[in-house]
Amino acid sequence: MFNIKGDLKPITKHLTKVQKKQIPFASAAAINETLKQVVKAEQMQITKRLDRPTPFTVKAFKIRYAKKHALHGEVIIKPAQWKYLKYQIEGGTRTGKIGVPTANAKLNKYGNLPGRRKGLIRGKKQYMNDKGVWERSGGKKNPRSKLVVAFASSVTYTKRFPFYKIADGVARSQFQKNFQRSIKRAIASAR
């Protein structure tokens, strides 16, 4: 999660009463515009830094918008995507029975095992033992098996996707500009 809060005291001390009345609206609009820019940057960078991310992964980011009475907004990673993206963002070791595709595995265009949402075994030619998932080939006269998915007890990840750094960079470079545009619009529409 990445959140934005604004310190408006230095900005507001030189404004008129009408202008000050527009500050909450302009602030919320600026925060929300900045959050949208953060999401765009995150989506662009995730396609550059991760190997062939799926559309599901690229759409992992969700905005909780600021309101004029709650000048606080945030970009979060949806829980389903966080389960695996946390290792790309924070690094660390994942433990348990982890399936790792071998060179024998047929991967889809995103580098994933196709059709594996409901389990590792796919089709009647595959079976599982304590080493992994195997696939039979060769027929009755020349039966063979090849390892398709090997099981590992742990996998260690290094940080590959600087989620917080990207968000912070966009917020620092864009918030002031967004606020200036928002306050001009708010003052122009003030009654």
Side-chain angles (χ1 to χ4, degrees), residues 83-123:
K83 286 179 185 175
Y84 58 91
L85 280 177
K86 66 182 173 186
Y87 296 107
Q88 302 301 320
I89 295 167
E90 298 173 349
T93 302
R94 191 170 78 172
T95 58
K97 195 174 189 178
I98 302 161
V100 180
T102 67
N104 298 322
K106 292 175 184 153
L107 304 176
N108 64 17
K109 66 182 179 180
Y110 302 111
N112 297 323
L113 294 164
R116 305 295 171 129
R117 283 185 155 176
K118 295 185 179 174
L120 288 173
I121 295 180
R122 183 169 184 221

Side-chain angles (χ1 to χ4, degrees), residues 41-191:
E42 297 286 4
Q43 289 174 329
M44 189 174 71
Q45 288 298 317
I46 204 166
T47 59
K48 290 180 181 179
R49 296 180 183 258
L50 300 184
D51 181 28
R52 300 173 281 166
T54 64
F56 181 73
T57 298
V58 174
K59 295 176 184 174
F61 311 101
K62 181 180 176 184
I63 297 173
R64 290 189 180 144
Y65 289 101
K67 297 173 179 61
K68 67 179 185 177
H69 57 277
L71 298 177
H72 171 238
E74 52 194 21
V75 173
I76 63 165
I77 297 174
K78 297 172 191 170
Q81 290 94 325
W82 177 251
K83 286 179 185 175
Y84 58 91
L85 280 177
K86 66 182 173 186
Y87 296 107
Q88 302 301 320
I89 295 167
E90 298 173 349
T93 302
R94 191 170 78 172
T95 58
K97 195 174 189 178
I98 302 161
V100 180
T102 67
N104 298 322
K106 292 175 184 153
L107 304 176
N108 64 17
K109 66 182 179 180
Y110 302 111
N112 297 323
L113 294 164
R116 305 295 171 129
R117 283 185 155 176
K118 295 185 179 174
L120 288 173
I121 295 180
R122 183 169 184 221
K124 294 179 180 177
K125 291 184 177 184
Q126 292 187 348
Y127 65 95
M128 187 173 6
N129 65 17
D130 61 338
K131 300 277 187 208
V133 176
W134 298 79
E135 188 167 280
R136 292 182 192 95
S137 62
K140 290 182 182 179
K141 291 184 180 180
N142 190 14
R144 291 177 296 217
S145 290
K146 60 184 177 181
L147 184 62
V148 179
V149 178
F151 290 146
S153 59
S154 68
V155 177
T156 301
Y157 297 87
T158 56
K159 295 177 183 182
R160 292 176 52 203
F161 182 62
F163 170 76
Y164 301 105
K165 186 177 179 182
I166 294 165
D168 187 57
V170 171
R172 288 182 187 278
S173 70
Q174 298 302 312
F175 179 75
Q176 275 306 91
K177 296 173 196 171
N178 291 333
F179 181 77
Q180 288 171 358
R181 281 192 293 268
S182 295
I183 195 70
K184 283 179 187 174
R185 282 194 302 264
I187 291 169
S189 66
R191 296 179 202 150

